Amino acid sequence: MPAVARRVPPMATSCELGPPTLKVVSPDVCPKSRFHEPLQPTGELLDELRRKSEELETATPREILRWAVQRFAPKFTMATAFGPEGMVIIHLLAEIAPETPIFNLDTGYQFPETLELRERVKQRYGIEVEFKRPELTVAKYEAQHDGPLYQRNPDQCCRDRKIQVLQAAARGWHAWASGIRRDQSPDRAKAPIVGWDKKFGLVKISPLANWTKKEVWKLITDHDIPYNPLHDQGYTSIGCWPCTRAVMFGEDERAGRWSGFAKTECGLHTLNDDK
Ligand code: SF4
C-alpha cells in the first residue's frame, strides 16, 4: 500500500482566496472563502442526498466511498473506533483516497488493544489516525465527579467524553463516513446510505449500511485487514473498557455494551436525536 502525505489539520487551514502570503486562519475568519463555510441543509441539498442515497442502495461500499470522495473531498472525513466495519472502510479509503483525514475519539478509557490498532493501521497503510480527546484527562474528570461517572451516569459520561468531542471535531467538515450497518440494531435499521446528520451538521455516509457482519469479516479475512484482537475473545462490539464486555453465545452483537444499563448507543449514531 502506498504511503500517504500528511494531511492539513481540519480546524486551521490556509485561506485560499487570501493574499499571496500563506496565512493560517480558522474556518470562521476567512470571509471570502466558501470552502470553509459549513454545509447548509437546504432543500436542494436534502433532495440531492435523498436521490443519491436511493441510487447508491445497490452500489458497493467501494463505489459509495468513491462517490463520497468525489463529491465532498477535501471536506470529507471519517471517525472510527477501529471496529471491524471501520477497519474495512480504512482499508478501502487507503486504496481510493488515502489522504482522507481519519480521527478517533480517545475518551481515555479505550482498551490498550484498540490504541495498538492505531499503530497497526499506520504500519499497514501509512495512515495516521488522529486522536481527538476531551479537555479533561480521566484523572481530572473523575476527581471532578467524585469517581468514575460511567458507573452512575454513562449518558453524561458519553456526552462529555464522546459527543462534545465529536461535535467540536466535526466543525469545518461537510461529510463523514460511518461504519454502521442496518442489521446491528433497530435504530440503525433506518440509516440511509447518504443522509443529513442534523446532530453534527454534516452529511453522513454509511457505505456498509447494506452489508452483513459476515460480509465485513469475509473482506477482513480475504485481505488480512488488521482488526482488534479482542474480537477473538468474544468482544463483538468494542467501546471503552469500563462499558464493554464479551458476549455469550446467542446474545445480540451489541449486548456487551453498557451491560446492566438501559443504554445501547453512545449517541453518535442515534437518528433524529437532538439532545
Ligand atoms: Fe464513558 Fe463508558 Fe461512554 Fe466511554 S462508553 S464515554 S467510559 S460511559
Side-chain angles (χ1 to χ4, degrees), residues 97-112:
E99 69 285 357
T100 305
I102 303 175
F103 63 90
N104 164 262
L105 299 181
D106 185 20
T107 60
Y109 291 114
Q110 294 196 101
F111 284 95

Side-chain angles (χ1 to χ4, degrees), residues 81-128:
F82 300 108
E85 293 78 13
M87 294 311 303
V88 163
I89 297 177
I90 289 172
H91 176 80
L92 296 174
L93 281 176
E95 174 196 313
I96 299 167
E99 69 285 357
T100 305
I102 303 175
F103 63 90
N104 164 262
L105 299 181
D106 185 20
T107 60
Y109 291 114
Q110 294 196 101
F111 284 95
E113 288 86 346
T114 308
L115 300 175
E116 208 183 296
L117 192 47
R118 177 187 177 273
E119 296 309 309
R120 290 167 61 203
V121 166
K122 191 171 155 185
Q123 281 163 18
R124 166 77 184 263
Y125 302 109
I127 291 176
E128 262 193 76

Side-chain angles (χ1 to χ4, degrees), residues 9-275:
M11 305 312 291
T13 58
S14 62
C15 177
E16 41 184 24
L17 298 182
T21 323
L22 198 67
K23 197 177 164 194
V24 174
V25 294
S26 86
D28 303 332
V29 295
C30 184
K32 290 181 190 167
S33 176
R34 292 185 57 78
F35 180 77
H36 299 306
E37 285 178 8
L39 205 55
Q40 295 301 328
T42 59
E44 197 183 343
L45 176 70
L46 297 181
D47 275 352
E48 179 201 340
L49 300 182
R50 237 185 327 267
R51 274 199 314 274
K52 203 67 208 177
S53 194
E54 279 169 24
E55 198 183 311
L56 291 171
E57 276 295 331
T58 52
T60 64
R62 189 179 270 103
E63 288 165 344
I64 295 168
L65 281 171
R66 213 169 258 142
W67 169 79
V69 168
Q70 278 165 3
R71 173 66 179 83
F72 295 109
K75 303 302 282 177
F76 175 62
T77 186
M78 176 196 178
T80 183
F82 300 108
E85 293 78 13
M87 294 311 303
V88 163
I89 297 177
I90 289 172
H91 176 80
L92 296 174
L93 281 176
E95 174 196 313
I96 299 167
E99 69 285 357
T100 305
I102 303 175
F103 63 90
N104 164 262
L105 299 181
D106 185 20
T107 60
Y109 291 114
Q110 294 196 101
F111 284 95
E113 288 86 346
T114 308
L115 300 175
E116 208 183 296
L117 192 47
R118 177 187 177 273
E119 296 309 309
R120 290 167 61 203
V121 166
K122 191 171 155 185
Q123 281 163 18
R124 166 77 184 263
Y125 302 109
I127 291 176
E128 262 193 76
V129 176
E130 186 188 354
F131 283 136
K132 297 284 184 187
R133 299 190 167 103
E135 203 180 309
L136 294 182
T137 61
V138 164
K140 283 187 182 159
Y141 187 68
E142 292 189 356
Q144 192 180 73
H145 292 284
D146 297 324
L149 204 56
Y150 58 75
Q151 291 176 347
R152 291 171 281 125
N153 191 345
D155 279 342
Q156 191 189 328
C157 185
C158 277
R159 235 178 350 257
D160 294 342
R161 303 197 72 80
K162 283 188 179 176
I163 310 292
Q164 284 180 9
V165 180
L166 186 55
Q167 272 166 341
R171 234 169 272 140
W173 299 102
H174 287 181
W176 61 300
S178 141
I180 61 172
R181 299 190 338 260
R182 287 179 182 150
D183 66 355
Q184 281 173 315
S185 70
D187 196 53
R188 294 183 181 196
K190 298 174 238 158
I193 304 282
V194 181
W196 179 252
D197 186 338
K198 63 180 178 180
K199 180 179 282 182
F200 296 101
L202 72 177
V203 175
K204 182 169 174 173
I205 294 140
S206 303
L208 302 177
N210 275 330
W211 265 31
T212 61
K213 185 177 167 180
K214 203 170 159 189
E215 285 172 298
V216 168
W217 279 102
K218 182 170 183 331
L219 196 88
I220 289 176
T221 312
D222 287 353
H223 295 274
D224 199 21
I225 298 172
Y227 66 89
N228 196 320
L230 291 172
H231 290 302
D232 295 331
Q233 297 168 38
Y235 290 79
T236 43
S237 172
I238 301 167
C240 298
W241 64 261
C243 304
T244 305
R245 66 160 172 81
V247 300
M248 316 284 204
F249 183 72
E251 273 189 318
D252 182 88
E253 73 174 272
R254 290 183 61 82
R257 305 292 296 276
W258 302 282
S259 186
F261 286 94
K263 176 176 170 70
T264 54
E265 296 275 356
C266 59
L268 299 187
H269 300 296
T270 318
L271 302 175
N272 301 318
D273 182 354
D274 290 326
K275 279 183 281 181

